[in-house]
Amino acid sequence: MKPILLQGHERSITQIKYNREGDLIFSVAKDTVANVWYSVNGERLGTYNGHTGALWCVDCDWDTKNVLTGSADNSCRLWDCETGKQLAMLNTSSAVRTCGFDFSGNIIMFSTDKQMGYQCFLNYFDLRDPQQIEDNQPYLTVPCAESKITSAVWGPLGEFVIAGHENGEINQFSAKSGEVLKKVKEHNKQINDIQTSVDLTMVITASKDCSSKLFDSTTLDHIKSFKTERPVNSAAISPIMDHVVMGGGQEAMEVTTTSTRIGKFEARFFHAAYEEEFGRVKGHFGPINCVAFHPDGKSYSSGGEDGYTRIHHFDPQYFDFELEA
């Protein structure tokens, strides 16, 4: 399994996303550009230039028309995917931590950080109403007073957003009323990442408490747990196998104080049903910040603190692999 190395960022990768067909990968990092790549050969298609701060999040709508990026320059921007033209800029009072299109591609949500005296907000905009964009006035704003949102994804049918918080809580916020529909607290530390399964029936969380958990996305029932001995920065569910991949490593600031051997910067594969680890992939020179499966399940990518994105195409024996129970 020889990885394709994507060098397009000068600073650590914060998020990578495939589009729905999986032919493109979007990557954002703590420098100011968002890159888009061909996933088949790692060729760079282009960049989205305009942000003036670190980028925290990126998302692409279902027909790959528009791209959404959220940044620490206190703005969330909408881009034309094909041309790289900036279509809209939504200003906020603090950094934008998470962003996403709902399944229709018409409604976007993004959450802002609790910083500089401002509290954390979850904002919903309807892109079909140009007035909202022009006035920078979301149709719904949900304040999160207790604990800030650190990661969020849209639930099935665009009815609610599933958000993970700094204190380990997971909430469902309705996209119509903004009320909290469901609330669970299975983690006791910050949730670093939430990703959905390909059919949106399940979500997987990655937490600083060294574990990753699988939940039902409508009921938020806790299904499975995957434990490691390092903080988990990101986790993804395979679309075709009962596998999850997790990326992590210790905090970026503690890396220099430990030897590279103890760093454990591997991507780790767990069986989703048996909760058993069955494989590791080495490669990154620093913690893995984000992992994502290709929608066809035949490859996966990881983005690290080292500023590289690596695309791994699985070997044929991966697909024949059966875990002995």
Side-chain angles (χ1 to χ4, degrees):
M1 199 157 83
K2 196 172 184 313
I4 301 172
L5 217 61
L6 311 184
Q7 290 172 282
H9 293 285
E10 293 165 6
R11 297 193 53 204
S12 50
I13 308 281
T14 48
Q15 198 177 25
I16 49 179
K17 271 267 171 71
Y18 282 92
N19 64 344
R20 195 173 57 112
E21 290 83 21
D23 58 333
L24 300 178
I25 299 179
F26 299 89
S27 65
V28 289
K30 288 183 186 169
D31 53 15
T32 56
V33 280
N35 282 326
V36 55
W37 316 78
Y38 286 115
S39 63
V40 62
N41 57 2
E43 184 189 341
R44 179 155 70 172
L45 182 58
T47 59
Y48 301 97
N49 298 328
H51 278 291
T52 55
L55 280 100
W56 290 118
C57 55
V58 64
D59 196 26
C60 166
D61 61 0
W62 69 280
D63 55 359
T64 323
K65 257 203 187 73
N66 300 328
V67 180
L68 193 64
T69 53
S71 162
D73 65 5
N74 298 0
S75 76
C76 183
R77 300 185 196 214
L78 187 69
W79 312 84
D80 183 308
C81 178
E82 200 177 348
T83 61
K85 201 170 119 240
Q86 183 176 311
L87 302 176
M89 174 171 171
L90 307 166
N91 287 304
T92 56
S93 40
S94 55
V96 177
R97 179 67 52 177
T98 64
C99 65
F101 287 96
D102 79 330
F103 188 73
S104 69
N106 292 325
I107 298 178
I108 60 167
M109 64 86 186
F110 61 87
S111 72
T112 59
D113 271 357
K114 181 177 170 182
Q115 70 192 61
M116 303 187 298
Y118 295 102
Q119 69 183 85
C120 162
F121 287 105
L122 179 62
N123 296 315
Y124 294 94
F125 279 89
D126 192 328
L127 298 178
R128 290 165 295 192
D129 179 5
Q131 206 55 49
Q132 287 182 22
I133 309 287
E134 228 166 277
D135 304 344
N136 204 5
Q137 219 30 60
Y139 76 85
L140 185 59
T141 298
V142 187
C144 308
E146 297 138 36
S147 176
K148 77 164 191 181
I149 295 177
T150 48
S151 54
V153 288
W154 277 95
L157 301 175
E159 286 169 2
F160 51 81
V161 163
I162 302 166
H165 296 255
E166 202 168 25
N167 59 4
E169 270 180 8
I170 302 173
N171 287 329
Q172 281 181 359
F173 293 101
S174 161
K176 308 259 186 310
S177 62
E179 61 187 329
V180 176
L181 304 174
K182 291 232 164 38
K183 186 187 221 168
V184 293
K185 190 167 190 295
E186 291 283 347
H187 289 288
N188 48 29
K189 281 194 181 148
Q190 169 177 325
I191 294 175
N192 291 325
D193 185 31
I194 291 188
Q195 290 193 31
T196 51
S197 59
V198 71
D199 55 2
L200 302 181
T201 53
M202 296 186 296
V203 292
I204 190 164
T205 58
S207 168
K208 217 170 167 174
D209 65 7
C210 306
S211 74
S212 176
K213 294 183 194 285
L214 209 53
F215 294 89
D216 182 290
S217 54
T218 22
T219 61
L220 287 190
D221 291 336
H222 173 219
I223 309 170
K224 297 283 178 190
S225 293
F226 311 99
K227 291 188 174 54
T228 66
E229 61 283 349
R230 289 273 183 279
V232 186
N233 293 339
S234 183
I237 307 170
S238 167
I240 53 165
M241 313 280 273
D242 293 329
H243 295 165
V244 299
V245 61
M246 291 154 62
Q250 77 267 63
E251 290 280 325
M253 52 191 179
E254 293 162 17
V255 170
T256 49
T257 57
T258 50
S259 94
T260 47
R261 248 193 343 275
I262 326 172
K264 294 224 165 71
F265 302 132
E266 302 114 334
R268 307 172 63 154
F269 284 81
F270 281 77
H271 195 285
Y274 304 125
E275 305 180 353
E276 289 276 329
E277 184 180 354
F278 65 85
R280 292 187 183 190
V281 178
K282 285 196 177 67
H284 281 283
F285 201 76
I288 295 174
N289 289 340
C290 191
V291 289
F293 265 104
H294 189 292
D296 70 3
K298 294 180 179 163
S299 62
Y300 85 98
S301 314
S302 53
E305 193 69 29
D306 52 8
Y308 290 104
T309 306
R310 302 169 83 96
I311 307 175
H312 303 261
H313 288 274
F314 293 120
D315 296 334
Q317 53 259 43
Y318 166 83
F319 303 102
D320 308 331
F321 172 73
E322 290 283 325
L323 193 70
E324 319 279 312

